[in-house]
Amino acid sequence: MAEPTTTTLAELEPATIQFWHVYSGPLEEAMNELVARFEAKYPQIDVEAQFTGGYYPTGQKIAGAIEANDLPNLTVAFEDAAVNWGRAGVLLDLTDYVHDPVIGVDVADFLPVEMARNTYLSEGGRMLSFPWTVAIAVMFYNQDMLSGLGFDGPAETWDEFLAQCEVILNDLNKSCYSIQVDASMWNATGFTFGGFPTIDVEARATRYGEEPWTKALDLFATLIEEGYGFPTVGRADEATANLSDFASQQVAYIMTSSRWVPFVEEGVAGSFNWSVGAVPQEFEGADPVTVLFGPNAVAFNTTEAENLATWEFIKFLSSPESQAYWAETSGNLPSRLSVGDSVEYAAFLETSPPMAAAWEILPYALSELPMTDEGNLGPPPFSFRVLQQDVQAELLTGNMTREEAQRKLVEDGATLLGEYYSNLFGS
């Protein structure tokens, strides 16, 4: 693609851009508000925003649009989709837009991990997507339950966590942890033992045979064997069962995404004191390592006028003002550092101690992708996430021993990743 034409906003040509997104209900209302603000600021640009279902149906719709040569200008998606669409030759390479001296952005104001996550080293270092919104894995805890048992606060290490669980089981006859099958929470646990990254791209294999992941699998198995935790696998409300368990005080802890803070707040409804903290670490005093995840803005290459208009809309969505508004209304975290300095966001954090705690942990979050400081080395296929979750479910329900689980992850992971990365890199 040609480099963008450096221009001023006043010189932008009129354009209509289509934005296919995954937000429904209150989140769609919040997105529509951002679109309205953008159109008021740039009246020469019309944004046709449309909810197109979740990530999978939206991806299917885009696949059909590629075949019909009738693509939208913008969507939100994850990195594996961006690679696939980039190799189909339909994406707008954002590299030159991002670094343009006139219409570019201050890259230093974004979380470094976010700029790296959206730089695809397997695709020549191009920016095939741009930071939009993030969340992190955190531990929700029942302050009243813990203080009632004499604990000063949430566990900071896994040894302390297991000790608290033992007391909760013995004194309250309760399990302390409702465990949802989720690859991101699985990765967060492994990273606390030094298991980052999960994938060795050069070897075309996982790292599941290494000590950090042996410790993580042992932890999950111990939680089940000792009665300290139970899985939510198979329940009718499996997607949100852990949230319900926490809100009804059946457990003291759940590990889940920070974006669930508003939902937990609604579920608890002031019936007890709670907050969020860092995922327990292996050693006392360690940095509060966790995982970061979230969709990115992905643009499709159309006309020069529409490309420029799309870029301006992406910039608007990533502006400190928009990021603060979206964070306050969606439960997500900003990807832009200066949002933390804004009076508006600071006032919001004062009203939400759980979100304030998540904001403090955010700088320590790692991407789930195999990464360097310069970019991602090649996002794994979604099928790898499915493998992780299938094995986690089998381990948590007692259908696999920890040894069997580790062996399956190593062997099936090598087969899956070997084929995938050989195709990705052509060798």
Side-chain angles (χ1 to χ4, degrees), residues 51-365:
F51 168 65
T52 49
Y55 293 105
Y56 180 75
T58 296
Q60 293 296 100
K61 187 175 176 67
I62 288 172
I66 292 173
E67 289 294 322
N69 195 28
D70 187 24
L71 282 158
N73 300 91
L74 183 67
T75 191
V76 289
F78 291 93
E79 299 81 13
D80 56 332
V83 168
N84 290 334
W85 297 333
R87 296 207 166 191
V90 296
L91 285 194
L92 178 62
D93 180 358
L94 296 173
T95 311
D96 292 329
Y97 292 84
V98 171
H99 298 287
D100 188 274
V102 175
I103 63 172
V105 296
D106 178 10
V107 297
D109 190 34
F110 290 83
L111 289 165
V113 67
E114 276 296 272
M115 294 305 294
R117 187 162 71 105
N118 287 275
T119 301
Y120 296 75
L121 300 182
S122 65
E123 312 306 303
R126 294 180 294 159
M127 291 199 73
L128 299 183
S129 56
F130 194 76
W132 159 227
T133 189
V134 298
I136 60 173
V138 291
M139 192 69 89
F140 288 67
Y141 62 92
N142 185 321
Q143 291 174 304
D144 290 348
M145 190 181 298
L146 294 179
S147 63
L149 293 170
F151 299 121
D152 294 332
E156 296 182 3
T157 67
W158 286 117
D159 285 344
E160 185 182 356
F161 183 80
L162 293 173
Q164 287 189 358
C165 286
E166 182 178 12
V167 173
I168 290 168
L169 181 62
N170 291 337
D171 289 15
L172 302 180
N173 196 29
K174 291 183 177 183
S175 295
C176 75
Y177 185 17
S178 175
I179 310 173
Q180 182 185 32
V181 171
D182 185 302
S184 295
M185 303 309 118
W186 174 273
N187 287 331
T189 304
F191 288 3
T192 66
F193 290 104
F196 172 82
T198 312
I199 294 169
D200 183 339
V201 173
E202 186 175 353
R204 312 287 199 265
T206 74
R207 295 184 56 212
Y208 280 118
E210 299 179 19
E211 183 180 10
W213 285 103
T214 300
K215 292 179 178 179
L217 267 65
D218 282 345
L219 173 67
F220 279 114
T222 298
L223 287 167
I224 298 300
E225 291 164 0
E226 297 296 331
Y228 299 156
F230 57 84
T232 61
V233 178
R235 286 167 54 174
D237 62 343
E238 183 175 341
T240 57
N242 60 337
L243 305 179
S244 300
D245 293 341
F246 184 76
S248 60
Q249 300 198 72
Q250 293 184 50
V251 294
Y253 288 102
I254 56 172
M255 189 200 306
T256 189
S257 168
S258 57
R259 73 171 298 273
W260 289 112
V261 165
F263 298 88
V264 170
E265 188 172 39
E266 181 179 351
V268 171
S271 59
F272 62 91
N273 293 308
W274 65 279
S275 192
V276 308
V279 177
Q281 304 294 307
E282 182 178 11
F283 301 113
E284 186 176 353
D287 287 340
V289 172
T290 188
V291 296
L292 169 148
F293 38 81
N296 309 303
V298 181
F300 297 94
N301 190 12
T302 56
T303 68
E304 183 178 342
E306 290 180 6
N307 289 348
L308 283 169
T310 300
W311 170 240
E312 288 302 329
F313 184 52
I314 290 172
K315 282 201 304 181
F316 179 83
L317 292 178
S318 70
S319 68
E321 297 78 15
S322 296
Q323 288 276 297
Y325 173 77
W326 185 254
E328 292 169 33
T329 55
S330 71
N332 285 286
L333 292 165
S335 60
R336 196 146 186 174
L337 299 170
S338 61
V339 175
D341 300 325
S342 72
V343 174
E344 179 185 1
Y345 194 60
F348 166 69
L349 293 182
E350 285 188 8
T351 68
S352 179
M355 290 307 301
W359 175 252
E360 291 296 319
I361 298 167
L362 179 58
Y364 300 96

